[in-house]
Amino acid sequence: MSSEQSTEMEEFQMQTKQWRMPDLPSRCTWSLGTPPSKSPHGQDKLKDSPEILPNVLYKIGNTPLIRINNIAREYGLKCELLAKCEFFSASGSIKDRIALRMIEDAEKQGILKPGDVIIEPSSGNTGISLGLVAAVKGYHCIIVMPEKMSLEKVDVLKALGVEVVRTPNAANLNSPDSHIGMAWELQSKIPNSHVFDQYQNAGNPLAHYDIMAEEILEQCGGQVDVLVAGAGTGGTLTGIARKFKEKCPGCQIVGVDPKGSTMAEPEGLNLADKTFYEMEGIGHTFIPTVLDRKVIDKWVKTNDEESFAMARMLIKKEGLLCGGSSGSAVCAAVRVAKELKEGQRCVVILPDSVRNYMSKFLSDHWMEEKGFLTAECNQESVILGLVTLGNVMSSVKEDKLQLTDPVSKIIYQQYKKVNLNDSLGKISQTLALNHFVLIIHEQIHYNGSGECGKKEIVHGVVTFNDLITFITAKEKNNDPNRKKTNHRF
């Protein structure tokens, strides 16, 4: 770094002297065996839901635990695989829990007052959750997020009345241009504003320790053999793991980290050729303050391709309208669950909904553009040739063919293909040099290992006569001089 850059950084840090890096050492005093009465934090309890909810904030938490059937069977799992579906929460993500906890803690402590401004660096979901709570409670909210996050997230934030600030994807963590640095700079300039800082805020893991972990234990009757969750800030993993170490100590806690991120242990797991990944919401190149890696028993690394493929499988085969990081979690869960026996139980956290990713992994075009959807050749999808009735009948008539002969003797192996979406003009040009064309349509194909590709489906065959007949019929229908006849049905 040049002396000029050093001076610029020092000036920036002077302006934002309250800027707290998200990877500071944790000051948390939690330890296994310490009674809740010794905790310096307030404690939330599970609540019964009223018949009529006073407002949408009462729809945060208490999400369903749903059995994964088809995918578990496809992968030959003997254990029970259950999904904690956080997309049933008010804004569609697990971050509702921490947004409500952080804001209400600040209100109780007298830090957040009416008319104050909430600022947060976020990959999108925490921002949406804070925006939703702020909308209900009447606070102005500013969310700072990297450019790679989906446009759907931006649109939802704006609909909630949130002010959105975008930052470069490539900005270093300690750069003034990073989403974290920019949030703290805004806080230093806007009066009565607060950065709740999900990377360090105790309310993040506490929301999962006090409520979410208790929900899972209650839903499972206290029996969970493996718990699998992705690591974003690490609050979910830390909160659930600490509670499980106290109440369900035999449960193995598995953290999921995308390739390119460096949150997993041991460090050798993090070695990768590239550091960029398309997955949103999980993974970092630093260790957030709220992540307690000591309570994580095992880490599993996943890649974008398998994760997005699994997310699409969850939608198609289980009807679970979840996001991409849910695919990462289930990829890891399937690997770990293969080691479990009948009667055992694996719970996996599905953190958000597909709503924020309509233009990303749900889109075939985006998947193809990113190289996650490739053409697949197998016995089912290979087109060997074409047989026409006219050719069969003429060959039989001339004694060149017997009806008992194999079809390979009469097959046309040279043919032209056009896509179902191609224009009639293109078909006409192709038929000028060929007797017929094959109309094909490409569909997404999944195999048992969770990978996806594209398979050609034959939609039909078109001849030159077919084209002429279609055009002639259309011209007759459009002829204004054609005598119209009234029909009765």
Side-chain angles (χ1 to χ4, degrees):
M1 180 182 290
S2 67
S3 59
E4 185 178 331
Q5 289 173 320
S6 297
T7 302
E8 185 179 329
M9 177 61 73
E10 288 170 6
E11 289 177 356
F12 171 75
Q13 290 178 342
M14 286 287 288
Q15 292 172 359
T16 59
K17 54 187 176 183
Q18 294 183 344
W19 180 10
R20 296 191 299 272
M21 294 293 288
D23 57 350
L24 291 175
S26 176
R27 295 181 295 171
C28 182
T29 58
W30 177 88
S31 62
L32 190 60
T34 302
S37 59
K38 298 291 185 181
S39 171
H41 307 289
Q43 292 178 304
D44 283 348
K45 302 290 184 183
L46 291 179
K47 301 179 181 70
D48 293 330
S49 178
E51 292 295 325
I52 298 176
L53 304 181
N55 59 52
V56 74
L57 303 184
Y58 285 77
K59 194 65 188 74
I60 293 175
N62 196 29
T63 53
L65 199 61
I66 298 177
R67 184 174 290 109
I68 303 293
N69 299 299
N70 298 321
I71 291 176
R73 186 163 48 248
E74 196 165 304
Y75 280 86
L77 301 185
K78 296 178 181 178
C79 70
E80 186 177 32
L81 182 60
L82 304 175
K84 181 70 167 166
C85 297
E86 290 297 289
F87 50 86
F88 283 97
S89 190
S91 83
S93 94
I94 196 171
K95 295 298 187 177
D96 288 350
R97 296 177 184 268
I98 73 169
L100 184 62
R101 178 66 183 255
M102 292 191 300
I103 287 179
E104 292 194 338
D105 279 355
E107 289 174 334
K108 291 172 186 175
Q109 295 163 16
I111 297 171
L112 187 63
K113 301 179 178 65
D116 284 1
V117 179
I118 296 169
I119 303 173
E120 188 70 16
S122 167
S123 63
N125 280 331
T126 302
I128 291 171
S129 297
L130 284 169
L132 182 142
V133 178
V136 174
K137 289 178 172 285
Y139 298 109
H140 180 57
C141 186
I142 302 173
I143 297 301
V144 188
M145 61 193 298
E147 289 174 339
K148 86 169 185 177
M149 304 311 165
S150 70
L151 289 176
E152 288 89 344
K153 289 179 179 177
V154 176
D155 290 340
V156 172
L157 284 166
K158 289 180 178 178
L160 286 167
V162 173
E163 187 177 343
V164 180
V165 178
R166 305 299 293 271
T167 59
N169 292 327
N172 291 325
L173 173 65
N174 59 357
S175 166
D177 296 327
S178 72
H179 67 305
I180 296 171
M182 183 61 70
W184 285 106
E185 182 179 11
L186 290 171
Q187 189 270 336
S188 72
K189 295 178 178 178
I190 299 174
N192 303 316
S193 63
H194 311 274
V195 175
F196 286 122
D197 192 4
Q198 59 179 323
Y199 298 101
Q200 296 190 64
N201 197 306
N204 181 350
L206 284 172
H208 305 293
Y209 176 87
D210 284 344
I211 302 296
M212 189 176 183
E214 294 285 0
E215 286 178 11
I216 295 170
L217 289 170
E218 185 176 276
Q219 289 167 323
C220 291
Q223 186 220 330
V224 184
D225 297 287
V226 176
L227 186 287
V228 182
T233 63
T236 300
L237 270 170
T238 298
I240 294 176
R242 286 178 172 178
K243 179 68 73 170
F244 274 43
K245 296 299 179 188
E246 294 172 353
K247 291 195 169 184
C248 190
C251 178
Q252 182 186 39
I253 306 297
V254 178
V256 185
D257 192 38
K259 289 183 178 179
S261 169
T262 59
M263 298 177 73
E265 287 185 312
E267 293 301 325
L269 285 176
N270 298 320
L271 297 176
D273 295 332
K274 60 178 183 178
T275 57
F276 179 80
Y277 46 91
E278 293 288 348
M279 186 58 62
E280 298 181 33
I282 59 173
H284 288 294
T285 54
F286 63 92
I287 307 303
T289 302
V290 297
L291 174 58
D292 182 2
R293 294 196 291 180
K294 296 189 300 295
V295 292
I296 313 303
D297 299 308
K298 180 177 182 176
W299 288 90
V300 175
K301 302 288 283 192
T302 57
N303 63 48
D304 284 337
E305 187 171 5
E306 65 180 341
S307 299
F308 291 135
M310 181 60 80
R312 292 169 74 123
M313 285 182 70
L314 284 164
I315 295 170
K316 183 176 182 179
K317 298 193 174 185
E318 302 291 343
L320 299 176
L321 301 177
C322 57
S325 62
S326 297
S328 298
V330 175
C331 279
V334 166
R335 290 186 213 169
V336 176
K338 286 182 178 179
E339 302 171 7
L340 299 181
K341 302 173 183 177
E342 191 172 345
Q344 291 186 295
R345 179 177 287 155
C346 177
V347 173
V348 56
I349 309 298
L350 307 189
D352 71 350
S353 79
V354 74
R355 178 201 62 204
N356 292 332
Y357 312 101
M358 297 292 188
S359 62
K360 289 206 164 186
F361 81 89
L362 204 62
S363 162
D364 290 352
H365 176 72
W366 185 88
M367 290 284 283
E368 288 175 354
E369 188 179 70
K370 298 297 179 180
F372 300 140
L373 201 61
T374 54
E376 180 179 296
C377 256
N378 56 38
Q379 291 252 333
E380 291 182 1
S381 60
V382 174
I383 301 169
L384 298 177
L386 193 70
V387 175
T388 66
L389 179 62
N391 196 31
V392 170
M393 296 306 293
S394 64
S395 296
V396 169
K397 186 176 181 180
E398 295 175 11
D399 293 327
K400 294 179 180 179
L401 187 73
Q402 301 295 320
L403 293 178
T404 54
D405 289 339
V407 72
S408 58
K409 289 189 68 174
I410 196 66
I411 196 170
Y412 284 119
Q413 292 182 314
Q414 292 184 345
Y415 54 86
K416 294 293 183 181
K417 294 186 291 185
V418 295
N419 194 280
L420 183 61
N421 297 319
D422 287 336
S423 67
L424 289 178
K426 181 175 180 179
I427 294 176
S428 177
Q429 291 175 354
T430 307
L431 285 171
L433 299 174
N434 299 273
H435 295 296
F436 53 83
V437 293
L438 214 57
I439 309 297
I440 57 101
H441 180 57
E442 294 176 335
Q443 291 185 347
I444 305 301
H445 173 69
Y446 299 89
N447 60 33
S449 63
E451 298 175 350
C452 68
K454 284 169 58 174
K455 181 170 70 173
E456 286 186 347
I457 304 297
V458 178
H459 193 79
V461 178
V462 173
T463 66
F464 189 74
N465 284 340
D466 293 330
L467 184 63
I468 294 298
T469 302
F470 174 79
I471 293 173
T472 303
K474 192 172 183 180
E475 287 178 348
K476 285 181 178 179
N477 290 334
N478 293 333
D479 185 357
N481 298 319
R482 183 168 175 256
K483 188 175 180 180
K484 294 183 180 179
T485 306
N486 293 325
H487 296 280
R488 291 183 180 181
F489 298 96

